[in-house]
Structure formats: structure tokens, C-alpha cells
Amino acid sequence: MGTAPLATGFEGVTLYPGYLDGAAQADLLAELAQAGVFAQAYRPTMPRTGKPWSITQFNLGPLGWVSDISGYRYEAQNPHSGTPWPAMPDMMRRLWDELSDFPAPAECCLVNLYTDPKARMGLHQDRDEAALEAPVLSLSLGDTCVFRVGGFARGDKSSSFRLASGDVLLLGGASRLRFHGVDRVIAGSSQLIRGGGRLNLTLRRVTKPDATP
Ligand code: SIN
Ligand code: MN
């Protein structure tokens, strides 16, 4: 595991191309399947309107990020099953330890599943965490996507680059609150996931470390 970072043109946005090699990607995918990610992924809905997203989601670790008609929030239990989220895979814990430069562990591993070839994610900020001093670490698996990074207001100038399977992207420091999103997924660009598609695993620290027991 491990590659040198590439500058993306945005201070605090760091790309590690191919950080996980093919064998590690396949191991992680098997572990995610075992944890029920594919079987139990659900379709989130938008706050207020209840409009369904084009992706499906699941969570691993002590806290899960949830979006539904009542809003965005973190939950210790899966609201669809009423049970705690499965444990965070060791490989994701290790990625956080190696790359986050943050003294406390990640609490949420959000899994975004881009299964529909038209699935995308509009520009948004990750701002539901109290620990904004910790970076957001995201790992891509499967088909390549066109990832967009903007500024600190929705209409700011933005630019895009590709994220391929095994790539790790960090949004930290001055860029922690940059708008970002996924324009599209390039179907057929990876053989990792049977049937195609893309998975994104996002690690976040949610609570301030000194506020936890
Ligand atoms: C996200 O911002 O939550 C997901 C980004 C991605 O799918 O790469
Ligand atoms: Mn995000």
C-alpha cells in the first residue's frame, strides 16, 4: 500500500493515486460484501423534499451519516434495521492512521454506491461534523469518476479531475469545507466490481476528540 501524493491545484486537497493496489482493493471489496454493504445499501432521500438520491448508501463504524426527509445527521444505529452499523474494516482504520495526520480515529465510514450508470452527486460541503479540524478521507473503488472541486460558495469556480480505483483523496486544512461532488462515473473503466459501478468510502471524524470519553 502507498503512493506519493499528487498536488491537485487546491491547497489541502491531496490525491494519492493507486494508494491501494489491486489485491488490497479486492480484499476490501470482499470484506464490504461480507459486512452486508451490497445487500443492505438503501436509497437516501433529500431533506424536506424526500426526493430520492441517484446513489445508494450504507455506513460502517460507530457513527453513520444519514439523509432523509428530516435532515442530515449522524446515527449510531441503522435507521432501516434498528441495529448498530457493522465494524469499520481494519484496512480503512489503517488508511486513516497513515494519511489523516489526526490524533483520534475516524468514527464514520460512509459508503456511497454508484450502481446506476447515471448516478452522480451534486456539489455539496461536508459540514455535519463537530471535528472540522480533521480531514475527510475518501477512497474510490471500481469505475473511475469525474470528481469536481469548487470553492466555499456553491457558485464559485470549480475544476474536475478523475478518481480511479484505489485512489485516496484527502480534503483537509483550508480545503476541508470546499464544495465537491461527482459529475459522472465512467462505465466500464474498471473490472473490480462484478457488474460494474463505483464505490466511494468516506472516513470522517465526527466528534471533537476531547469530547469523547
Ligand atoms: C461524497 O462527497 O460524499 C462522495 C464523493 C465521492 O463519491 O467520491
Ligand atoms: Mn462529500
Side-chain angles (χ1 to χ4, degrees), residues 11-200:
E11 196 191 332
V13 182
T14 314
L15 174 62
Y16 293 85
Y19 194 83
L20 285 193
D21 64 22
Q25 293 170 38
D27 287 351
L28 180 57
L29 195 66
E31 199 172 336
L32 295 173
Q34 185 69 33
V37 167
F38 294 95
Q40 294 175 51
Y42 51 82
R43 191 169 298 278
T45 51
M46 287 298 290
R48 292 185 302 281
T49 62
K51 186 170 179 273
W53 293 38
S54 61
I55 60 160
T56 56
Q57 288 188 325
F58 196 66
N59 286 278
L60 302 160
L63 291 174
W65 186 86
V66 171
S67 172
D68 63 20
I69 195 149
S70 31
Y72 300 145
R73 64 197 177 277
Y74 281 95
E75 296 259 15
Q77 301 206 323
N78 177 349
H80 299 271
S81 64
T83 58
W85 307 102
M88 194 177 303
D90 285 344
M91 210 184 291
M92 296 309 295
R93 266 192 251 271
R94 279 205 299 279
L95 281 183
W96 181 263
D97 290 347
E98 288 167 10
L99 298 176
S100 71
D101 195 26
F102 194 73
E107 294 169 301
C108 172
C109 178
L110 170 65
V111 186
N112 294 305
L113 297 89
Y114 297 77
T115 306
D116 182 325
K118 293 209 173 73
R120 55 183 292 281
M121 190 178 291
L123 279 179
H124 66 277
Q125 292 170 294
D126 290 10
R127 53 182 312 153
D128 300 314
E129 302 75 32
L132 288 174
E133 64 279 23
V136 171
L137 186 160
S138 110
L139 167 71
S140 294
L141 291 177
D143 284 341
T144 297
C145 79
V146 179
F147 187 81
R148 184 163 293 278
V149 179
F152 302 97
R154 188 175 297 282
D156 285 356
K157 192 163 80 59
S158 64
S159 59
S160 68
F161 49 88
R162 290 177 178 208
L163 294 178
S165 197
D167 290 0
V168 172
L169 185 75
L170 279 167
L171 252 59
S175 286
R176 173 64 178 74
L177 286 173
R178 274 190 193 278
F179 274 83
H180 58 278
V182 171
D183 286 356
R184 65 193 170 90
V185 174
I186 302 170
S189 48
S190 162
Q191 301 305 311
L192 182 73
I193 301 173
R194 195 175 315 143
R198 169 176 187 264
L199 286 193
N200 164 260

